[in-house]
Amino acid sequence: MDWIKVSDQMPPEHDSVFMKYKVTSYARRLMYEKCSDDVFVTIEDIMDGSRRVDIMQTRDGKWFWPSGKQDKEIISKIIAWMPFPEPYKGAEDE
């Protein structure tokens, strides 16, 4: 599996569970219409240029850490992403 540059393509997004509430009076700032699955990302630090790998997702086209880690938008530069690999299925004779 190869890294995909953010400038070439963003992760595909699907309807979120919040979509039906976003247009109602119950809508909140943190509700979003579309989100991607969690993906691996390469993040570049905007201060020193160092890079690291983390897990993130997009919500309405903006990068966020998955729920439970941090619930704020990312400020660092996201360079590339890749979907999670398929889980190991094991050999037939195991």
Side-chain angles (χ1 to χ4, degrees), residues 65-92:
W65 274 289
S67 299
K69 184 171 182 182
Q70 293 184 15
D71 202 17
K72 61 182 181 182
E73 190 175 341
I74 304 309
I75 300 170
S76 298
K77 185 176 180 181
I78 309 301
I79 303 295
W81 65 277
M82 77 165 62
F84 288 177
E86 289 295 318
Y88 176 73
K89 293 188 170 106
E92 288 184 40

Side-chain angles (χ1 to χ4, degrees), residues 44-87:
E44 183 175 80
D45 187 288
I46 57 175
M47 300 299 285
D48 65 12
S50 62
R51 292 182 178 180
R52 64 185 175 88
V53 173
D54 208 333
I55 297 172
M56 299 180 76
Q57 63 182 214
T58 60
R59 299 178 192 160
D60 293 333
K62 296 180 182 179
W63 289 102
F64 288 82
W65 274 289
S67 299
K69 184 171 182 182
Q70 293 184 15
D71 202 17
K72 61 182 181 182
E73 190 175 341
I74 304 309
I75 300 170
S76 298
K77 185 176 180 181
I78 309 301
I79 303 295
W81 65 277
M82 77 165 62
F84 288 177
E86 289 295 318

